[in-house]
Short mmCIF file of all heavy atoms in Angstrom, two decimals:
data_model
loop_
_atom_site.label_atom_id
_atom_site.label_comp_id
_atom_site.label_asym_id
_atom_site.label_seq_id
_atom_site.Cartn_x
_atom_site.Cartn_y
_atom_site.Cartn_z
N PHE M 148 -161.78 116.97 -56.07
CA PHE M 148 -162.39 116.25 -57.21
C PHE M 148 -163.22 117.21 -58.07
O PHE M 148 -163.11 117.19 -59.29
CB PHE M 148 -163.24 115.12 -56.67
CG PHE M 148 -164.16 114.50 -57.72
CD1 PHE M 148 -163.68 113.69 -58.72
CD2 PHE M 148 -165.55 114.76 -57.68
CE1 PHE M 148 -164.53 113.17 -59.67
CE2 PHE M 148 -166.41 114.23 -58.59
CZ PHE M 148 -165.87 113.41 -59.62
N MET M 149 -164.02 118.04 -57.40
CA MET M 149 -164.86 118.99 -58.17
C MET M 149 -164.01 119.99 -58.93
O MET M 149 -164.30 120.33 -60.08
CB MET M 149 -165.81 119.71 -57.20
CG MET M 149 -166.79 118.78 -56.48
SD MET M 149 -167.85 117.89 -57.64
CE MET M 149 -168.74 119.22 -58.40
N ILE M 150 -162.89 120.45 -58.29
CA ILE M 150 -162.03 121.42 -58.95
C ILE M 150 -161.38 120.78 -60.16
O ILE M 150 -161.34 121.38 -61.26
CB ILE M 150 -160.96 121.92 -57.95
CG1 ILE M 150 -161.60 122.76 -56.87
CG2 ILE M 150 -159.88 122.71 -58.69
CD1 ILE M 150 -160.62 123.13 -55.73
N GLU M 151 -160.89 119.55 -59.98
CA GLU M 151 -160.18 118.85 -61.10
C GLU M 151 -161.16 118.55 -62.20
O GLU M 151 -160.83 118.68 -63.40
CB GLU M 151 -159.56 117.58 -60.58
CG GLU M 151 -158.68 116.87 -61.58
CD GLU M 151 -157.48 117.66 -62.01
OE1 GLU M 151 -157.01 118.53 -61.22
OE2 GLU M 151 -156.96 117.41 -63.12
N ASN M 152 -162.36 118.15 -61.86
CA ASN M 152 -163.40 117.83 -62.86
C ASN M 152 -163.69 119.05 -63.72
O ASN M 152 -163.83 118.97 -64.93
CB ASN M 152 -164.63 117.29 -62.19
CG ASN M 152 -165.66 116.72 -63.17
OD1 ASN M 152 -165.29 115.91 -63.98
ND2 ASN M 152 -166.87 117.18 -63.09
N GLU M 153 -163.78 120.18 -63.05
CA GLU M 153 -164.07 121.42 -63.78
C GLU M 153 -162.90 121.80 -64.67
O GLU M 153 -163.08 122.25 -65.81
CB GLU M 153 -164.34 122.56 -62.76
CG GLU M 153 -164.61 123.91 -63.36
CD GLU M 153 -165.92 123.96 -64.15
OE1 GLU M 153 -166.79 123.13 -63.88
OE2 GLU M 153 -166.01 124.80 -65.05
N ALA M 154 -161.69 121.64 -64.17
CA ALA M 154 -160.48 121.99 -64.94
C ALA M 154 -160.38 121.11 -66.22
O ALA M 154 -160.03 121.58 -67.29
CB ALA M 154 -159.23 121.84 -64.07
N LEU M 155 -160.65 119.86 -66.04
CA LEU M 155 -160.52 118.91 -67.17
C LEU M 155 -161.57 119.18 -68.26
O LEU M 155 -161.34 118.85 -69.45
CB LEU M 155 -160.63 117.45 -66.69
CG LEU M 155 -159.43 116.93 -65.93
CD1 LEU M 155 -159.72 115.50 -65.44
CD2 LEU M 155 -158.17 116.92 -66.80
N SER M 156 -162.68 119.76 -67.86
CA SER M 156 -163.71 120.08 -68.86
C SER M 156 -163.23 121.10 -69.85
O SER M 156 -163.84 121.26 -70.94
CB SER M 156 -165.00 120.57 -68.13
OG SER M 156 -164.75 121.85 -67.53
N ARG M 157 -162.15 121.81 -69.52
CA ARG M 157 -161.61 122.82 -70.43
C ARG M 157 -160.54 122.25 -71.37
O ARG M 157 -159.95 122.98 -72.17
CB ARG M 157 -161.02 124.01 -69.61
CG ARG M 157 -162.07 124.74 -68.79
CD ARG M 157 -161.51 126.03 -68.24
NE ARG M 157 -160.45 125.81 -67.25
CZ ARG M 157 -160.70 125.67 -65.95
NH1 ARG M 157 -161.92 125.71 -65.49
NH2 ARG M 157 -159.69 125.47 -65.12
N HIS M 158 -160.23 120.95 -71.23
CA HIS M 158 -159.21 120.35 -72.08
C HIS M 158 -159.84 119.21 -72.92
O HIS M 158 -160.66 118.43 -72.36
CB HIS M 158 -158.08 119.77 -71.21
CG HIS M 158 -157.34 120.80 -70.44
ND1 HIS M 158 -156.36 121.57 -70.96
CD2 HIS M 158 -157.49 121.22 -69.15
CE1 HIS M 158 -155.89 122.42 -70.07
NE2 HIS M 158 -156.55 122.21 -68.93
N GLU M 159 -159.47 119.10 -74.13
CA GLU M 159 -160.00 118.06 -75.01
C GLU M 159 -159.19 116.81 -74.91
O GLU M 159 -157.97 116.85 -74.66
CB GLU M 159 -160.02 118.56 -76.46
CG GLU M 159 -160.98 119.74 -76.70
CD GLU M 159 -161.01 120.14 -78.17
OE1 GLU M 159 -160.28 119.50 -78.94
OE2 GLU M 159 -161.77 121.05 -78.48
N GLY M 160 -159.83 115.68 -75.13
CA GLY M 160 -159.10 114.41 -75.27
C GLY M 160 -159.15 113.52 -74.04
O GLY M 160 -158.90 112.33 -74.18
N PHE M 161 -159.48 114.09 -72.88
CA PHE M 161 -159.40 113.30 -71.68
C PHE M 161 -160.49 112.23 -71.61
O PHE M 161 -160.42 111.26 -70.85
CB PHE M 161 -159.45 114.18 -70.42
CG PHE M 161 -158.08 114.68 -70.04
CD1 PHE M 161 -157.64 115.88 -70.46
CD2 PHE M 161 -157.25 113.91 -69.22
CE1 PHE M 161 -156.35 116.36 -70.15
CE2 PHE M 161 -156.00 114.36 -68.89
CZ PHE M 161 -155.54 115.60 -69.33
N GLU M 162 -161.55 112.44 -72.39
CA GLU M 162 -162.60 111.38 -72.41
C GLU M 162 -162.05 110.09 -73.00
O GLU M 162 -162.66 109.00 -72.79
CB GLU M 162 -163.81 111.88 -73.20
CG GLU M 162 -163.56 112.12 -74.68
CD GLU M 162 -162.99 113.50 -74.99
OE1 GLU M 162 -162.71 114.25 -74.02
OE2 GLU M 162 -162.87 113.85 -76.16
N ASN M 163 -160.93 110.16 -73.69
CA ASN M 163 -160.33 108.98 -74.29
C ASN M 163 -159.14 108.42 -73.47
O ASN M 163 -158.50 107.47 -73.90
CB ASN M 163 -159.83 109.30 -75.71
CG ASN M 163 -160.96 109.71 -76.62
OD1 ASN M 163 -162.07 109.18 -76.57
ND2 ASN M 163 -160.70 110.67 -77.48
N PHE M 164 -158.85 109.04 -72.35
CA PHE M 164 -157.65 108.67 -71.61
C PHE M 164 -157.59 107.20 -71.25
O PHE M 164 -156.63 106.46 -71.51
CB PHE M 164 -157.49 109.51 -70.32
CG PHE M 164 -156.18 109.32 -69.61
CD1 PHE M 164 -155.10 110.14 -69.88
CD2 PHE M 164 -156.05 108.34 -68.67
CE1 PHE M 164 -153.88 109.97 -69.24
CE2 PHE M 164 -154.86 108.13 -67.99
CZ PHE M 164 -153.75 108.94 -68.30
N PHE M 165 -158.66 106.70 -70.62
CA PHE M 165 -158.66 105.35 -70.16
C PHE M 165 -158.81 104.36 -71.29
O PHE M 165 -158.37 103.21 -71.20
CB PHE M 165 -159.73 105.11 -69.07
CG PHE M 165 -159.38 105.84 -67.79
CD1 PHE M 165 -160.09 106.98 -67.39
CD2 PHE M 165 -158.33 105.42 -67.03
CE1 PHE M 165 -159.75 107.64 -66.24
CE2 PHE M 165 -158.00 106.09 -65.84
CZ PHE M 165 -158.71 107.20 -65.43
N GLU M 166 -159.42 104.80 -72.38
CA GLU M 166 -159.48 103.95 -73.58
C GLU M 166 -158.08 103.73 -74.15
O GLU M 166 -157.70 102.61 -74.52
CB GLU M 166 -160.39 104.60 -74.62
CG GLU M 166 -160.50 103.79 -75.91
CD GLU M 166 -161.39 104.51 -76.94
OE1 GLU M 166 -162.26 105.28 -76.55
OE2 GLU M 166 -161.17 104.25 -78.16
N ILE M 167 -157.30 104.82 -74.18
CA ILE M 167 -155.91 104.69 -74.63
C ILE M 167 -155.09 103.88 -73.70
O ILE M 167 -154.29 103.06 -74.10
CB ILE M 167 -155.29 106.13 -74.81
CG1 ILE M 167 -156.04 106.95 -75.85
CG2 ILE M 167 -153.81 106.02 -75.21
CD1 ILE M 167 -155.65 108.41 -75.88
N GLU M 168 -155.31 104.05 -72.40
CA GLU M 168 -154.59 103.26 -71.40
C GLU M 168 -154.89 101.79 -71.52
O GLU M 168 -153.99 100.95 -71.43
CB GLU M 168 -154.92 103.76 -70.00
CG GLU M 168 -154.11 103.05 -68.93
CD GLU M 168 -154.46 103.52 -67.53
OE1 GLU M 168 -155.57 103.13 -67.04
OE2 GLU M 168 -153.68 104.27 -66.93
N THR M 169 -156.17 101.47 -71.75
CA THR M 169 -156.57 100.08 -71.95
C THR M 169 -155.87 99.48 -73.18
O THR M 169 -155.38 98.36 -73.17
CB THR M 169 -158.07 99.96 -72.11
OG1 THR M 169 -158.70 100.44 -70.92
CG2 THR M 169 -158.49 98.50 -72.35
N GLN M 170 -155.79 100.28 -74.23
CA GLN M 170 -155.08 99.88 -75.43
C GLN M 170 -153.59 99.65 -75.15
O GLN M 170 -153.00 98.69 -75.59
CB GLN M 170 -155.27 100.94 -76.53
CG GLN M 170 -154.52 100.64 -77.82
CD GLN M 170 -154.72 101.77 -78.82
OE1 GLN M 170 -155.77 102.40 -78.88
NE2 GLN M 170 -153.69 102.05 -79.63
N LEU M 171 -153.00 100.58 -74.36
CA LEU M 171 -151.59 100.47 -74.00
C LEU M 171 -151.34 99.17 -73.26
O LEU M 171 -150.35 98.43 -73.58
CB LEU M 171 -151.19 101.65 -73.12
CG LEU M 171 -149.84 101.57 -72.39
CD1 LEU M 171 -148.70 101.55 -73.40
CD2 LEU M 171 -149.69 102.70 -71.42
N ILE M 172 -152.15 98.83 -72.29
CA ILE M 172 -151.97 97.61 -71.50
C ILE M 172 -152.12 96.38 -72.39
O ILE M 172 -151.37 95.42 -72.27
CB ILE M 172 -152.96 97.57 -70.32
CG1 ILE M 172 -152.57 98.70 -69.33
CG2 ILE M 172 -152.91 96.23 -69.63
CD1 ILE M 172 -153.65 98.92 -68.28
N TYR M 173 -153.06 96.44 -73.31
CA TYR M 173 -153.26 95.34 -74.28
C TYR M 173 -151.97 95.16 -75.12
O TYR M 173 -151.52 94.02 -75.34
CB TYR M 173 -154.46 95.62 -75.18
CG TYR M 173 -154.65 94.61 -76.29
CD1 TYR M 173 -155.43 93.46 -76.09
CD2 TYR M 173 -154.05 94.78 -77.53
CE1 TYR M 173 -155.58 92.51 -77.10
CE2 TYR M 173 -154.21 93.85 -78.54
CZ TYR M 173 -154.99 92.74 -78.33
OH TYR M 173 -155.11 91.80 -79.35
N GLU M 174 -151.44 96.26 -75.59
CA GLU M 174 -150.25 96.19 -76.48
C GLU M 174 -149.04 95.68 -75.69
O GLU M 174 -148.27 94.88 -76.25
CB GLU M 174 -149.96 97.61 -77.03
CG GLU M 174 -151.01 98.03 -78.04
CD GLU M 174 -151.02 99.54 -78.29
OE1 GLU M 174 -150.40 100.28 -77.53
OE2 GLU M 174 -151.68 99.97 -79.27
N ILE M 175 -148.87 96.09 -74.44
CA ILE M 175 -147.80 95.55 -73.65
C ILE M 175 -147.96 94.08 -73.42
O ILE M 175 -147.07 93.28 -73.60
CB ILE M 175 -147.69 96.29 -72.30
CG1 ILE M 175 -147.31 97.77 -72.51
CG2 ILE M 175 -146.67 95.62 -71.38
CD1 ILE M 175 -147.41 98.62 -71.24
N HIS M 176 -149.19 93.67 -73.05
CA HIS M 176 -149.47 92.30 -72.75
C HIS M 176 -149.25 91.38 -73.98
O HIS M 176 -148.86 90.23 -73.83
CB HIS M 176 -150.91 92.15 -72.30
CG HIS M 176 -151.27 90.77 -71.79
ND1 HIS M 176 -150.77 90.26 -70.60
CD2 HIS M 176 -151.98 89.77 -72.31
CE1 HIS M 176 -151.23 89.04 -70.43
NE2 HIS M 176 -151.96 88.71 -71.47
N HIS M 177 -149.47 91.93 -75.18
CA HIS M 177 -149.24 91.20 -76.42
C HIS M 177 -147.87 91.50 -77.05
O HIS M 177 -147.65 91.20 -78.23
CB HIS M 177 -150.37 91.48 -77.40
CG HIS M 177 -151.67 90.85 -77.00
ND1 HIS M 177 -152.50 91.43 -76.06
CD2 HIS M 177 -152.27 89.69 -77.40
CE1 HIS M 177 -153.56 90.64 -75.87
NE2 HIS M 177 -153.46 89.59 -76.67
N LEU M 178 -147.00 92.09 -76.25
CA LEU M 178 -145.59 92.33 -76.64
C LEU M 178 -145.43 93.21 -77.85
O LEU M 178 -144.44 93.10 -78.57
CB LEU M 178 -144.88 90.99 -76.84
CG LEU M 178 -145.13 89.88 -75.77
CD1 LEU M 178 -144.29 88.66 -76.10
CD2 LEU M 178 -144.80 90.43 -74.39
N GLU M 179 -146.42 94.11 -78.07
CA GLU M 179 -146.33 95.06 -79.19
C GLU M 179 -145.70 96.35 -78.71
O GLU M 179 -146.34 97.40 -78.57
CB GLU M 179 -147.75 95.30 -79.75
CG GLU M 179 -148.44 94.05 -80.26
CD GLU M 179 -149.89 94.30 -80.65
OE1 GLU M 179 -150.38 95.44 -80.56
OE2 GLU M 179 -150.56 93.33 -81.08
N LYS M 180 -144.39 96.29 -78.51
CA LYS M 180 -143.73 97.39 -77.79
C LYS M 180 -143.71 98.69 -78.61
O LYS M 180 -143.78 99.78 -78.00
CB LYS M 180 -142.33 96.99 -77.37
CG LYS M 180 -141.35 96.64 -78.49
CD LYS M 180 -140.01 96.25 -77.90
CE LYS M 180 -139.01 95.90 -79.01
NZ LYS M 180 -137.72 95.48 -78.43
N ASP M 181 -143.58 98.65 -79.91
CA ASP M 181 -143.56 99.89 -80.70
C ASP M 181 -144.91 100.62 -80.61
O ASP M 181 -144.94 101.84 -80.44
CB ASP M 181 -143.18 99.61 -82.17
CG ASP M 181 -141.73 99.14 -82.31
OD1 ASP M 181 -140.91 99.51 -81.45
OD2 ASP M 181 -141.42 98.45 -83.28
N ARG M 182 -145.98 99.85 -80.72
CA ARG M 182 -147.32 100.45 -80.58
C ARG M 182 -147.51 100.96 -79.16
O ARG M 182 -148.13 102.01 -78.93
CB ARG M 182 -148.38 99.47 -80.96
CG ARG M 182 -148.44 99.10 -82.41
CD ARG M 182 -149.61 98.19 -82.77
NE ARG M 182 -149.69 97.91 -84.14
CZ ARG M 182 -150.64 97.16 -84.71
NH1 ARG M 182 -151.60 96.64 -83.95
NH2 ARG M 182 -150.65 96.92 -86.02
N ALA M 183 -147.03 100.19 -78.18
CA ALA M 183 -147.19 100.60 -76.79
C ALA M 183 -146.45 101.91 -76.51
O ALA M 183 -146.97 102.77 -75.78
CB ALA M 183 -146.64 99.51 -75.86
N LYS M 184 -145.27 102.09 -77.10
CA LYS M 184 -144.55 103.32 -76.90
C LYS M 184 -145.32 104.52 -77.46
O LYS M 184 -145.36 105.60 -76.84
CB LYS M 184 -143.16 103.25 -77.60
CG LYS M 184 -142.21 102.28 -76.87
CD LYS M 184 -140.90 102.17 -77.64
CE LYS M 184 -139.96 101.16 -76.97
NZ LYS M 184 -138.69 101.00 -77.72
N LYS M 185 -145.98 104.33 -78.59
CA LYS M 185 -146.78 105.41 -79.18
C LYS M 185 -147.99 105.72 -78.33
O LYS M 185 -148.35 106.88 -78.12
CB LYS M 185 -147.21 105.03 -80.61
CG LYS M 185 -146.08 104.96 -81.62
CD LYS M 185 -146.56 104.55 -82.98
CE LYS M 185 -145.38 104.44 -83.96
NZ LYS M 185 -145.85 104.01 -85.32
N SER M 186 -148.62 104.66 -77.80
CA SER M 186 -149.79 104.89 -76.92
C SER M 186 -149.40 105.64 -75.65
O SER M 186 -150.12 106.53 -75.18
CB SER M 186 -150.44 103.57 -76.56
OG SER M 186 -150.99 102.93 -77.73
#
């Protein structure tokens, strides 16, 4: 966990990962498949 946490700190965008995933699940649940594919 500590190693991975340190590695991820060197990459941008991961702070938004679960926000994007939540959006993806919302889009699937609302049958918005084209938006879901992009997410």
Side-chain angles (χ1 to χ4, degrees):
F148 167 73
M149 298 301 296
I150 293 172
E151 186 65 25
N152 190 51
E153 179 66 24
L155 287 176
S156 67
R157 297 191 293 270
H158 297 279
E159 295 183 359
F161 274 93
E162 64 275 6
N163 299 321
F164 187 92
F165 291 108
E166 179 181 333
I167 298 169
E168 184 182 74
T169 299
Q170 177 181 326
L171 168 65
I172 293 169
Y173 174 90
E174 290 162 348
I175 294 172
H176 188 72
H177 288 80
L178 314 183
E179 299 174 0
K180 62 181 180 181
D181 291 335
R182 290 185 178 182
K184 289 176 183 179
K185 291 178 181 178
S186 295

